[in-house]
Amino acid sequence: MKTKIPIWINILQVLILAILTFQTYACYFNPSLLYAGFTVDAVTVKMIYVLAGRNAVMMIISLLALIRQDARFYSFAFLMHSLRELQDMFIVPLTGGGLAIFFVFLIVFVIPEITAYFKLNKIANELSLRNNLTAK
């Protein structure tokens, strides 16, 4: 049964999907779009393709969540997004990205993704409760 997912969650998912699509394309075909001066050679090719594969899988899960509009599946996608962003949020300043980027990750991605995760779980739990009461 489809549920009414709030529009802000769908907009956030489209934004995340666009970023993942770009990152996937760049990792497979032109890593210098993401990392200026990055050279793909025998040492780095495996690393960049692992990153590409990770992004491709997350892109597919994001697309399925957007299409299915199932709150439980969608909450899984946002759990995945928030855990990835939390990791990236701490890695970027350590690699010279600056402290400002930390706060961009926190405010633009992590807080909204965690909020979406809890909202989607609430919707899924309410739907499950409603279905259980109807079945009795």
Side-chain angles (χ1 to χ4, degrees):
M1 176 180 199
K2 287 190 176 184
T3 59
K4 181 75 172 137
I5 304 296
I7 190 72
W8 70 269
I9 290 177
N10 283 314
I11 291 170
L12 181 58
Q13 184 72 336
V14 168
L15 174 64
I16 292 166
L17 182 58
I19 292 167
L20 287 169
T21 301
F22 171 74
Q23 289 175 336
T24 300
Y25 169 82
C27 285
Y28 277 124
F29 302 109
N30 190 357
S32 64
L33 290 172
L34 292 174
Y35 309 106
F38 187 83
T39 304
V40 177
D41 57 22
V43 175
T44 61
V45 71
K46 290 178 186 173
M47 176 186 64
I48 201 70
Y49 283 150
V50 166
L51 182 59
R54 172 193 96 145
N55 288 338
V57 169
M58 289 188 294
M59 180 185 71
I60 291 166
I61 290 170
S62 298
L63 183 60
L64 289 173
L66 192 61
I67 292 168
R68 290 183 59 189
Q69 294 289 296
D70 175 87
R72 185 71 64 203
F73 186 78
Y74 222 147
S75 70
F76 166 76
F78 271 96
L79 177 63
M80 176 188 65
H81 295 320
S82 61
L83 292 173
R84 180 195 70 240
E85 299 296 352
L86 276 168
Q87 175 180 288
D88 290 350
M89 182 175 79
F90 288 104
I91 290 172
V92 168
L94 294 174
T95 59
L99 193 57
I101 305 260
F102 175 91
F103 289 104
V104 169
F105 272 102
L106 180 65
I107 295 166
V108 175
F109 292 106
V110 174
I111 292 172
E113 289 168 351
I114 290 172
T115 303
Y117 169 76
F118 284 114
K119 176 69 176 170
L120 289 161
N121 261 339
K122 182 179 177 195
I123 292 169
N125 290 338
E126 288 170 354
L127 182 61
S128 180
L129 180 63
R130 200 174 327 138
N131 289 341
N132 286 340
L133 291 174
T134 305
K136 290 182 180 183

